[in-house]
PDB file of all heavy atoms in Angstrom:
ATOM      1  N   PHE W 597      10.643 176.097 -65.606  1.00 95.00           N
ATOM      2  CA  PHE W 597      10.541 176.151 -64.133  1.00 95.00           C
ATOM      3  C   PHE W 597      11.632 177.163 -63.698  1.00 95.00           C
ATOM      4  O   PHE W 597      12.731 177.126 -64.212  1.00 95.00           O
ATOM      5  CB  PHE W 597      10.971 174.749 -63.547  1.00 95.00           C
ATOM      6  CG  PHE W 597      10.127 173.546 -64.040  1.00 95.00           C
ATOM      7  CD1 PHE W 597      10.318 172.916 -65.214  1.00 95.00           C
ATOM      8  CD2 PHE W 597       9.047 173.279 -63.162  1.00 95.00           C
ATOM      9  CE1 PHE W 597       9.554 171.880 -65.539  1.00 95.00           C
ATOM     10  CE2 PHE W 597       8.253 172.178 -63.586  1.00 95.00           C
ATOM     11  CZ  PHE W 597       8.453 171.482 -64.804  1.00 95.00           C
ATOM     12  N   ALA W 598      11.275 178.029 -62.769  1.00 94.00           N
ATOM     13  CA  ALA W 598      12.177 179.069 -62.361  1.00 94.00           C
ATOM     14  C   ALA W 598      11.920 179.472 -60.881  1.00 94.00           C
ATOM     15  O   ALA W 598      10.868 179.230 -60.339  1.00 94.00           O
ATOM     16  CB  ALA W 598      11.956 180.264 -63.298  1.00 94.00           C
ATOM     17  N   GLU W 599      12.885 180.079 -60.397  1.00 94.00           N
ATOM     18  CA  GLU W 599      12.865 180.574 -58.952  1.00 94.00           C
ATOM     19  C   GLU W 599      12.031 181.836 -58.879  1.00 94.00           C
ATOM     20  O   GLU W 599      11.295 182.177 -57.883  1.00 94.00           O
ATOM     21  CB  GLU W 599      14.207 180.856 -58.383  1.00 94.00           C
ATOM     22  CG  GLU W 599      14.994 179.683 -58.067  1.00 94.00           C
ATOM     23  CD  GLU W 599      16.388 179.931 -57.476  1.00 94.00           C
ATOM     24  OE1 GLU W 599      17.085 180.731 -58.034  1.00 94.00           O
ATOM     25  OE2 GLU W 599      16.578 179.616 -56.376  1.00 94.00           O
ATOM     26  N   LYS W 600      12.107 182.721 -59.997  1.00 92.00           N
ATOM     27  CA  LYS W 600      11.413 183.973 -59.994  1.00 92.00           C
ATOM     28  C   LYS W 600      10.330 183.907 -61.046  1.00 92.00           C
ATOM     29  O   LYS W 600      10.351 183.150 -62.067  1.00 92.00           O
ATOM     30  CB  LYS W 600      12.306 185.137 -60.305  1.00 92.00           C
ATOM     31  CG  LYS W 600      13.433 185.219 -59.261  1.00 92.00           C
ATOM     32  CD  LYS W 600      14.492 186.332 -59.645  1.00 92.00           C
ATOM     33  CE  LYS W 600      15.608 186.359 -58.688  1.00 92.00           C
ATOM     34  NZ  LYS W 600      16.642 187.138 -59.172  1.00 92.00           N
ATOM     35  N   ASP W 601       9.239 184.713 -60.822  1.00 90.00           N
ATOM     36  CA  ASP W 601       8.074 184.867 -61.724  1.00 90.00           C
ATOM     37  C   ASP W 601       8.643 185.378 -63.135  1.00 90.00           C
ATOM     38  O   ASP W 601       9.184 186.369 -63.243  1.00 90.00           O
ATOM     39  CB  ASP W 601       7.162 185.807 -61.127  1.00 90.00           C
ATOM     40  CG  ASP W 601       5.796 185.841 -62.021  1.00 90.00           C
ATOM     41  OD1 ASP W 601       5.683 185.032 -62.940  1.00 90.00           O
ATOM     42  OD2 ASP W 601       4.905 186.677 -61.704  1.00 90.00           O
ATOM     43  N   HIS W 602       8.321 184.497 -64.076  1.00 86.00           N
ATOM     44  CA  HIS W 602       8.719 184.925 -65.507  1.00 86.00           C
ATOM     45  C   HIS W 602       7.504 185.189 -66.397  1.00 86.00           C
ATOM     46  O   HIS W 602       7.688 185.191 -67.651  1.00 86.00           O
ATOM     47  CB  HIS W 602       9.710 183.797 -66.064  1.00 86.00           C
ATOM     48  CG  HIS W 602       9.046 182.456 -65.936  1.00 86.00           C
ATOM     49  ND1 HIS W 602       9.038 181.671 -64.855  1.00 86.00           N
ATOM     50  CD2 HIS W 602       8.263 181.660 -66.866  1.00 86.00           C
ATOM     51  CE1 HIS W 602       8.413 180.552 -65.045  1.00 86.00           C
ATOM     52  NE2 HIS W 602       7.999 180.562 -66.286  1.00 86.00           N
ATOM     53  N   SER W 603       6.294 185.315 -65.799  1.00 83.00           N
ATOM     54  CA  SER W 603       5.153 185.422 -66.659  1.00 83.00           C
ATOM     55  C   SER W 603       4.969 186.613 -67.495  1.00 83.00           C
ATOM     56  O   SER W 603       4.267 186.642 -68.385  1.00 83.00           O
ATOM     57  CB  SER W 603       3.814 185.230 -65.653  1.00 83.00           C
ATOM     58  OG  SER W 603       3.837 186.284 -64.772  1.00 83.00           O
ATOM     59  N   LYS W 604       5.662 187.694 -66.981  1.00 81.00           N
ATOM     60  CA  LYS W 604       5.664 188.905 -67.835  1.00 81.00           C
ATOM     61  C   LYS W 604       6.674 188.926 -68.951  1.00 81.00           C
ATOM     62  O   LYS W 604       6.724 189.914 -69.745  1.00 81.00           O
ATOM     63  CB  LYS W 604       5.738 190.079 -66.806  1.00 81.00           C
ATOM     64  CG  LYS W 604       4.503 190.175 -65.991  1.00 81.00           C
ATOM     65  CD  LYS W 604       4.585 191.437 -65.040  1.00 81.00           C
ATOM     66  CE  LYS W 604       3.345 191.679 -64.373  1.00 81.00           C
ATOM     67  NZ  LYS W 604       3.005 190.834 -63.297  1.00 81.00           N
ATOM     68  N   GLU W 605       7.555 188.058 -69.060  1.00 83.00           N
ATOM     69  CA  GLU W 605       8.614 187.983 -70.052  1.00 83.00           C
ATOM     70  C   GLU W 605       7.943 187.606 -71.392  1.00 83.00           C
ATOM     71  O   GLU W 605       7.088 186.759 -71.482  1.00 83.00           O
ATOM     72  CB  GLU W 605       9.602 186.982 -69.744  1.00 83.00           C
ATOM     73  CG  GLU W 605      10.497 187.241 -68.434  1.00 83.00           C
ATOM     74  CD  GLU W 605      11.395 188.406 -68.526  1.00 83.00           C
ATOM     75  OE1 GLU W 605      11.739 188.762 -69.693  1.00 83.00           O
ATOM     76  OE2 GLU W 605      11.710 189.022 -67.438  1.00 83.00           O
ATOM     77  N   LYS W 606       8.464 188.318 -72.456  1.00 84.00           N
ATOM     78  CA  LYS W 606       8.045 188.048 -73.763  1.00 84.00           C
ATOM     79  C   LYS W 606       8.391 186.693 -74.175  1.00 84.00           C
ATOM     80  O   LYS W 606       7.667 185.869 -74.878  1.00 84.00           O
ATOM     81  CB  LYS W 606       8.495 189.084 -74.808  1.00 84.00           C
ATOM     82  CG  LYS W 606       7.804 190.425 -74.673  1.00 84.00           C
ATOM     83  CD  LYS W 606       8.290 191.411 -75.729  1.00 84.00           C
ATOM     84  CE  LYS W 606       7.651 192.701 -75.579  1.00 84.00           C
ATOM     85  NZ  LYS W 606       8.023 193.771 -76.447  1.00 84.00           N
ATOM     86  N   LYS W 607       9.553 186.304 -73.908  1.00 87.00           N
ATOM     87  CA  LYS W 607      10.141 185.055 -74.184  1.00 87.00           C
ATOM     88  C   LYS W 607      10.677 184.397 -72.887  1.00 87.00           C
ATOM     89  O   LYS W 607      11.822 184.575 -72.507  1.00 87.00           O
ATOM     90  CB  LYS W 607      11.309 185.081 -75.291  1.00 87.00           C
ATOM     91  CG  LYS W 607      10.822 185.519 -76.603  1.00 87.00           C
ATOM     92  CD  LYS W 607      11.814 185.310 -77.615  1.00 87.00           C
ATOM     93  CE  LYS W 607      11.129 185.601 -78.952  1.00 87.00           C
ATOM     94  NZ  LYS W 607      11.559 184.654 -79.944  1.00 87.00           N
ATOM     95  N   PRO W 608       9.802 183.709 -72.109  1.00 83.00           N
ATOM     96  CA  PRO W 608      10.195 183.264 -70.828  1.00 83.00           C
ATOM     97  C   PRO W 608      11.302 182.185 -70.903  1.00 83.00           C
ATOM     98  O   PRO W 608      12.224 182.223 -69.979  1.00 83.00           O
ATOM     99  CB  PRO W 608       8.865 182.654 -70.264  1.00 83.00           C
ATOM    100  CG  PRO W 608       7.992 182.412 -71.370  1.00 83.00           C
ATOM    101  CD  PRO W 608       8.437 183.418 -72.444  1.00 83.00           C
ATOM    102  N   ALA W 609      11.417 181.342 -71.818  1.00 86.00           N
ATOM    103  CA  ALA W 609      12.492 180.432 -71.892  1.00 86.00           C
ATOM    104  C   ALA W 609      13.862 181.127 -72.132  1.00 86.00           C
ATOM    105  O   ALA W 609      14.858 180.640 -71.431  1.00 86.00           O
ATOM    106  CB  ALA W 609      12.263 179.395 -73.074  1.00 86.00           C
ATOM    107  N   THR W 610      13.859 182.129 -73.007  1.00 84.00           N
ATOM    108  CA  THR W 610      15.084 182.867 -73.208  1.00 84.00           C
ATOM    109  C   THR W 610      15.514 183.603 -71.908  1.00 84.00           C
ATOM    110  O   THR W 610      16.659 183.627 -71.516  1.00 84.00           O
ATOM    111  CB  THR W 610      14.942 183.859 -74.341  1.00 84.00           C
ATOM    112  OG1 THR W 610      14.564 183.074 -75.525  1.00 84.00           O
ATOM    113  CG2 THR W 610      16.221 184.597 -74.628  1.00 84.00           C
ATOM    114  N   ALA W 611      14.601 184.181 -71.199  1.00 84.00           N
ATOM    115  CA  ALA W 611      14.837 184.880 -69.934  1.00 84.00           C
ATOM    116  C   ALA W 611      15.386 183.970 -68.973  1.00 84.00           C
ATOM    117  O   ALA W 611      16.355 184.342 -68.156  1.00 84.00           O
ATOM    118  CB  ALA W 611      13.575 185.583 -69.383  1.00 84.00           C
ATOM    119  N   ALA W 612      14.868 182.706 -68.846  1.00 87.00           N
ATOM    120  CA  ALA W 612      15.345 181.775 -67.918  1.00 87.00           C
ATOM    121  C   ALA W 612      16.641 181.257 -68.272  1.00 87.00           C
ATOM    122  O   ALA W 612      17.541 181.123 -67.348  1.00 87.00           O
ATOM    123  CB  ALA W 612      14.322 180.641 -67.772  1.00 87.00           C
ATOM    124  N   LEU W 613      16.981 181.072 -69.536  1.00 84.00           N
ATOM    125  CA  LEU W 613      18.276 180.624 -70.009  1.00 84.00           C
ATOM    126  C   LEU W 613      19.354 181.582 -69.657  1.00 84.00           C
ATOM    127  O   LEU W 613      20.528 181.175 -69.324  1.00 84.00           O
ATOM    128  CB  LEU W 613      18.156 180.407 -71.488  1.00 84.00           C
ATOM    129  CG  LEU W 613      19.472 179.867 -72.151  1.00 84.00           C
ATOM    130  CD1 LEU W 613      19.745 178.497 -71.639  1.00 84.00           C
ATOM    131  CD2 LEU W 613      19.304 179.798 -73.655  1.00 84.00           C
ATOM    132  N   PHE W 614      18.987 182.928 -69.673  1.00 83.00           N
ATOM    133  CA  PHE W 614      20.009 183.944 -69.426  1.00 83.00           C
ATOM    134  C   PHE W 614      19.978 184.402 -67.891  1.00 83.00           C
ATOM    135  O   PHE W 614      20.398 185.537 -67.611  1.00 83.00           O
ATOM    136  CB  PHE W 614      19.965 185.070 -70.407  1.00 83.00           C
ATOM    137  CG  PHE W 614      20.391 184.633 -71.699  1.00 83.00           C
ATOM    138  CD1 PHE W 614      19.578 184.399 -72.783  1.00 83.00           C
ATOM    139  CD2 PHE W 614      21.924 184.478 -72.059  1.00 83.00           C
ATOM    140  CE1 PHE W 614      19.949 183.890 -73.986  1.00 83.00           C
ATOM    141  CE2 PHE W 614      22.258 184.106 -73.222  1.00 83.00           C
ATOM    142  CZ  PHE W 614      21.334 183.782 -74.262  1.00 83.00           C
ATOM    143  N   ASN W 615      19.539 183.673 -67.035  1.00 79.00           N
ATOM    144  CA  ASN W 615      19.572 183.891 -65.593  1.00 79.00           C
ATOM    145  C   ASN W 615      18.805 185.152 -65.072  1.00 79.00           C
ATOM    146  O   ASN W 615      19.080 185.671 -64.059  1.00 79.00           O
ATOM    147  CB  ASN W 615      20.909 184.037 -64.998  1.00 79.00           C
ATOM    148  CG  ASN W 615      21.525 182.658 -64.672  1.00 79.00           C
ATOM    149  OD1 ASN W 615      20.825 181.711 -64.763  1.00 79.00           O
ATOM    150  ND2 ASN W 615      22.749 182.599 -64.323  1.00 79.00           N
TER     151      ASN W 615
END
Side-chain angles (χ1 to χ4, degrees):
F597 299 87
E599 288 182 302
K600 298 176 186 173
D601 186 4
H602 54 277
S603 62
K604 292 183 172 73
E605 296 288 339
K606 287 183 181 181
K607 293 193 174 222
T610 303
L613 183 64
F614 289 103
N615 276 353

